[in-house]
């Protein structure tokens, strides 16, 4: 994890694979489950290699049976639940919808039996993402809304925000448009439309862009002077070139 955060991706991947090899040699199911989970997370969120991610999570599905279905093995999630949910997420990205749905529904069924809110959130997130990719928008909305209805969800800002974003996408696609204001606009005459456009450009559009340009320049200059880098990705790129795009454009 530390190597990944520092941006040493090859070393992080090799370290995770060594951990899995050691756990397998020891025959320690808990260590194997945790190692598979970290490998799957790395492939899924960092490399976007959905086939490799699905393979890592599938190993946990095959490994965990009986009483082990309820175990977290020192991780934040019940591994039998999150592994199935993430397989569903990966298969949705690969277009394998028939197989993916079974994994997603199994994840939700297990999450409902283990009484672990964080795992339930990821089960609903994985299944909701699957339905969103499949185009089953009503089912996707139901899955994401279930997360937002959980009292504990606000304590987990990462998946909570993620579900909010995907729920917004599902709503927009379900209603057939992102923003619906044309029902007002179409009632105006062409002359009125032209007058509104002219006033809006002079009063709102150009002044707003001037303000954004000034603020953007100050932000880019400050980022350059302090050598600011991003903490949102393992690569930690410098930020001033990106912030400079705002005033330049």
């Amino acid at each position: 994890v530390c190597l990944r955060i520092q941006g040493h991706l090859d070393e992080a991947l090799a370290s995770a694979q060594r951990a899995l090899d050691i756990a397998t040699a020891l025959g320690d199911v808990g260590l194997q489950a945790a190692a598979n989970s970290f490998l799957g997370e790395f492939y899924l969120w960092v490399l976007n290699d959905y086939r490799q991610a699905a393979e890592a999570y599938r190993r946990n599905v095959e490994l965990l049976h009986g009483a082990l279905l309820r175990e977290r093995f020192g991780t934040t999630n019940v591994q039998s639940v999150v592994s199935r949910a993430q397989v569903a997420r990966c298969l949705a990205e690969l277009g394998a919808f028939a197989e993916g749905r079974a994994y997603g529904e199994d994840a939700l069924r297990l999450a409902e039996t283990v009484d672990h809110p964080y795992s339930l959130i990821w089960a609903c997130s994985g299944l909701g993402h699957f339905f969103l990719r499949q185009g089953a928008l009503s089912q996707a909305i139901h899955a994401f809304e279930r997360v937002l209805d959980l009292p504990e969800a606000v304590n987990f800002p990462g998946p909570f925000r993620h579900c909010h974003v995907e729920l917004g996408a599902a709503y927009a696609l379900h209603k057939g448009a992102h923003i619906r204001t044309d029902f007002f606009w179409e009632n105006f005459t062409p002359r009125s439309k032209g007058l509104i456009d002219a006033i809006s450009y002079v009063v709102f559009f150009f002044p707003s862009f001037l303000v954004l340009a000034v603020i953007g320049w100050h932000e880019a200059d400050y980022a350059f002077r302090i050598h600011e880098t991003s903490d949102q990705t393992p690569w930690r790129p410098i930020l001033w070139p990106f912030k400079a795009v705002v005033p330049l454009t």
Side-chain angles (χ1 to χ4, degrees), residues 92 96-98 101 127-137 139-140:
F97 295 115
R101 178 166 185 163
L127 187 59
H129 181 86
F130 171 85
F131 284 133
L132 182 60
R133 281 288 185 264
Q134 191 182 35
L137 301 177
Q139 291 161 290

Side-chain angles (χ1 to χ4, degrees), residues 50-51 87-101 129-130 133-134:
Y50 302 113
R51 294 189 187 281
V87 171
R89 185 185 300 273
C90 293
L91 292 179
E93 296 296 331
L94 296 170
F97 295 115
E99 184 183 4
R101 178 166 185 163
H129 181 86
F130 171 85
R133 281 288 185 264
Q134 191 182 35

Side-chain angles (χ1 to χ4, degrees), residues 211-228:
V211 171
L212 284 174
V214 172
I215 294 174
W217 175 255
H218 285 297
E219 287 289 327
D221 178 62
Y222 180 70
F224 176 79
R225 287 187 286 108
I226 67 171
H227 306 290
E228 184 181 8

Side-chain angles (χ1 to χ4, degrees), residues 2-60:
C2 293
L3 289 170
R4 186 185 72 185
I5 293 173
Q6 292 171 355
H8 305 304
L9 302 185
D10 291 338
E11 296 174 48
L13 182 58
S15 179
Q17 187 59 58
R18 283 199 302 273
L20 177 60
D21 293 341
I22 292 170
T24 303
L26 293 173
D28 190 311
V29 174
L31 288 178
Q32 289 180 64
N36 281 323
S37 181
F38 284 122
L39 266 175
E41 181 180 327
F42 189 87
Y43 280 122
L44 175 59
W45 302 115
V46 179
L47 300 181
N48 300 133
D49 187 335
Y50 302 113
R51 294 189 187 281
Q52 291 285 359
E55 183 62 29
Y57 286 118
R58 270 199 187 104
R59 288 196 291 267
N60 273 356

Side-chain angles (χ1 to χ4, degrees), residues 46-234:
V46 179
L47 300 181
N48 300 133
D49 187 335
Y50 302 113
R51 294 189 187 281
Q52 291 285 359
E55 183 62 29
Y57 286 118
R58 270 199 187 104
R59 288 196 291 267
N60 273 356
V61 174
E62 296 168 359
L63 185 66
L64 305 176
H65 302 280
L68 298 179
L69 292 173
R70 308 179 70 87
E71 294 296 326
R72 291 189 291 127
F73 303 107
T75 67
T76 56
N77 279 296
V78 176
Q79 284 303 314
S80 65
V81 173
V82 72
S83 295
R84 285 170 169 81
Q86 301 298 49
V87 171
R89 185 185 300 273
C90 293
L91 292 179
E93 296 296 331
L94 296 170
F97 295 115
E99 184 183 4
R101 178 166 185 163
Y103 279 102
E105 291 176 343
D106 280 350
L108 183 58
R109 177 181 55 80
L110 283 169
E112 290 171 340
T113 63
V114 298
D115 191 26
H116 189 256
Y118 192 55
S119 298
L120 179 59
I121 288 171
W122 278 111
C124 291
S125 174
L127 187 59
H129 181 86
F130 171 85
F131 284 133
L132 182 60
R133 281 288 185 264
Q134 191 182 35
L137 301 177
S138 296
Q139 291 161 290
I141 289 170
H142 176 73
F144 292 130
E145 285 182 340
R146 184 169 179 181
V147 172
L148 304 187
D149 288 340
L150 287 173
E152 300 89 350
V154 293
N155 298 318
F156 308 112
F160 188 64
R161 287 196 302 268
H162 187 80
C163 287
H164 258 116
V165 170
E166 294 211 287
L167 178 60
Y171 277 144
L173 292 170
H174 186 63
K175 293 182 180 298
H178 295 286
I179 302 173
R180 300 291 293 186
T181 59
D182 54 340
F183 55 89
F184 289 121
W185 186 249
E186 292 303 320
N187 290 328
F188 295 130
T189 65
R191 181 182 179 85
S192 298
K193 290 179 181 178
L195 182 62
I196 292 170
D197 278 340
I199 294 173
S200 297
Y201 271 99
V202 173
V203 176
F204 300 109
F205 186 80
F206 291 120
S208 297
F209 267 76
L210 179 61
V211 171
L212 284 174
V214 172
I215 294 174
W217 175 255
H218 285 297
E219 287 289 327
D221 178 62
Y222 180 70
F224 176 79
R225 287 187 286 108
I226 67 171
H227 306 290
E228 184 181 8
T229 60
S230 172
D231 60 356
Q232 299 301 310
T233 72

